[in-house]
Amino acid sequence: MPDHRLQEAIDTLKGSGVRITPQRHAVLEYLLNSMTHPTADEIYKALESKFPNMSVATVYNNLRVFREIGLVRELTYGDSSSRFDCNTTDHYHIICESCGKIVDFHYPSLNEVESLAEQVTGFDVSHHRMEVYGTCSDCQKENAH
Amino acid sequence: MPDHRLQEAIDTLKGSGVRITPQRHAVLEYLLNSMTHPTADEIYKALESKFPNMSVATVYNNLRVFREIGLVRELTYGDSSSRFDCNTTDHYHIICESCGKIVDFHYPSLNEVESLAEQVTGFDVSHHRMEVYGTCSDCQKENAH
DNA sequence: TTATTACATTAGAATCCTTATAAATAGTGT
DNA sequence: ACACTATTTATAAGGATTCTAATGTAATAA
């Protein structure tokens, strides 16, 4: 569906001297089409049928390349494995403590916080991170039983 | 120093039917006194001299108990291991991307964000988390060379 | 006190996620 | 098509955390 996003991403990669291999293309395409925030292993399993010989290291390698170029963000939540998000527009996440679901939500970026932190601490601020935790409506219903 | 906090925590544990063993007491005390946000391994190493036979599993077990009771919060930053924080006072963290230093800073709690997220997503919000990342003044000087 | 029970600790193995290695493979620009 | 070099692959290695089974210890009841 977002063919233009895929093409843009490929152009960005090429512009940085990154080769477009079939595996790389597939990982990128999967990430762009997925609304969830998949783990490396989920991506690996999803592409297993298409690339039976692909190594899990390839998935990690490509995710690292995408992250370094700025195409994806790596999210480290409480659970064991990292999740990858290719939605680079400014948004935050709310995470269900019961089922682990991650939902996007938008909020004006907290620039004030960054500038205040900079003044108070003397840091040179690069970015910030914020998440909200709670129980999603599905799990609220579950728990009601 | 915060003997009352330690005593309160112990009372909370006892109230939940958790036994106070020497190792458990030591882990709890260390966490309450530490201004940094130690990893399990840091706690393990810090208590090594006092408890030469303590297993690293004991540290993990106790941290899990404390977390389940709500005495500490587990924080996962980008790096490999979790950090543990006695989540009592409201404050945020700013983290140096160069040396890993974690500095506290205060900011009015982002209640608006929580309530907006609640409305938009239908979650029942329990808490949020925010950190600012950047380069501390020491590392800025280093880099200037 | 003694026996019983349930909870804790220990040491080490096991597991999971991620990265490193080295050889083979395959894009890309010319 | 060639040469150059990035990439993939399979596997090993690494680190963090959890599991297991045996042992130890605190609380409780008889």
Side-chain angles (χ1 to χ4, degrees):
Chain A
M1 103 203 34
D3 279 334
H4 54 289
R5 284 213 297 152
L6 178 57
Q7 195 51 54
E8 268 175 33
I10 289 173
D11 292 345
T12 304
L13 287 169
K14 280 186 176 163
S16 304
V18 174
R19 293 180 185 165
I20 309 303
T21 66
Q23 297 91 334
R24 181 163 288 162
H25 188 281
V27 172
L28 186 57
E29 190 177 25
Y30 182 83
L31 258 176
L32 281 166
N33 287 331
S34 81
M35 286 293 93
T36 70
H37 306 80
T39 64
D41 195 58
E42 281 165 7
I43 298 169
Y44 175 62
K45 285 197 166 57
L47 301 178
E48 208 165 34
S49 56
K50 210 170 177 181
F51 297 90
N53 294 321
M54 184 167 65
S55 167
V56 68
T58 299
V59 177
Y60 280 102
N61 287 340
N62 286 321
L63 289 172
R64 177 165 36 74
V65 169
F66 299 161
R67 187 191 53 207
E68 283 167 0
I69 300 271
L71 287 177
V72 309
R73 285 198 284 166
E74 182 172 358
L75 308 174
T76 56
Y77 298 133
D79 53 352
S80 45
S81 39
S82 287
R83 298 181 162 277
F84 296 86
D85 185 2
C86 62
N87 186 349
T88 48
T89 63
D90 259 359
H91 68 280
Y92 297 104
H93 295 130
I94 182 163
I95 298 150
C96 179
E97 293 173 298
S98 181
C99 69
K101 191 188 302 165
I102 300 174
V103 176
D104 293 353
F105 79 94
H106 289 267
Y107 192 86
S109 188
L110 301 164
N111 296 320
E112 292 171 39
V113 179
E114 288 199 1
S115 55
L116 183 117
E118 209 159 44
Q119 287 168 37
V120 172
T121 63
F123 272 57
D124 181 20
V125 168
S126 69
H127 67 286
H128 70 275
R129 155 182 181 168
M130 197 236 333
E131 299 112 35
V132 178
Y133 293 84
T135 312
C136 73
S137 47
D138 291 347
C139 289
Q140 286 174 49
K141 285 170 200 154
E142 284 283 329
N143 296 345
H145 298 330
Chain B
M1 110 202 26
D3 279 333
H4 55 290
R5 284 212 297 151
L6 179 57
Q7 195 51 54
E8 267 175 33
I10 289 175
D11 292 345
T12 304
L13 287 169
K14 280 186 177 163
S16 303
V18 175
R19 293 180 187 162
I20 308 303
T21 67
Q23 295 91 334
R24 182 163 287 162
H25 187 280
V27 172
L28 187 56
E29 191 177 24
Y30 182 83
L31 258 177
L32 281 166
N33 287 331
S34 81
M35 286 294 91
T36 70
H37 310 276
T39 63
D41 196 57
E42 281 165 8
I43 298 169
Y44 175 64
K45 286 196 166 56
L47 301 179
E48 210 165 32
S49 56
K50 210 169 174 180
F51 296 89
N53 294 321
M54 184 166 66
S55 167
V56 69
T58 299
V59 176
Y60 280 103
N61 287 340
N62 287 321
L63 289 171
R64 177 164 36 74
V65 169
F66 299 160
R67 187 190 54 207
E68 283 167 0
I69 300 271
L71 287 177
V72 308
R73 183 160 292 168
E74 182 172 356
L75 299 177
T76 55
Y77 298 123
D79 55 354
S80 45
S81 39
S82 289
R83 298 182 163 276
F84 296 87
D85 187 10
C86 304
N87 64 340
T88 48
T89 62
D90 257 0
H91 66 276
Y92 296 106
H93 298 134
I94 183 163
I95 298 152
C96 179
E97 294 172 296
S98 181
C99 69
K101 191 188 304 167
I102 300 174
V103 176
D104 293 352
F105 79 95
H106 290 266
Y107 192 86
S109 187
L110 301 164
N111 296 319
E112 291 171 39
V113 179
E114 290 200 359
S115 56
L116 183 117
E118 208 159 44
Q119 287 168 36
V120 172
T121 63
F123 272 56
D124 181 19
V125 169
S126 69
H127 67 285
H128 70 275
R129 161 183 178 172
M130 190 210 16
E131 298 112 35
V132 178
Y133 293 84
T135 313
C136 73
S137 47
D138 291 347
C139 289
Q140 286 174 49
K141 286 171 202 156
E142 285 282 329
N143 296 345
H145 300 328

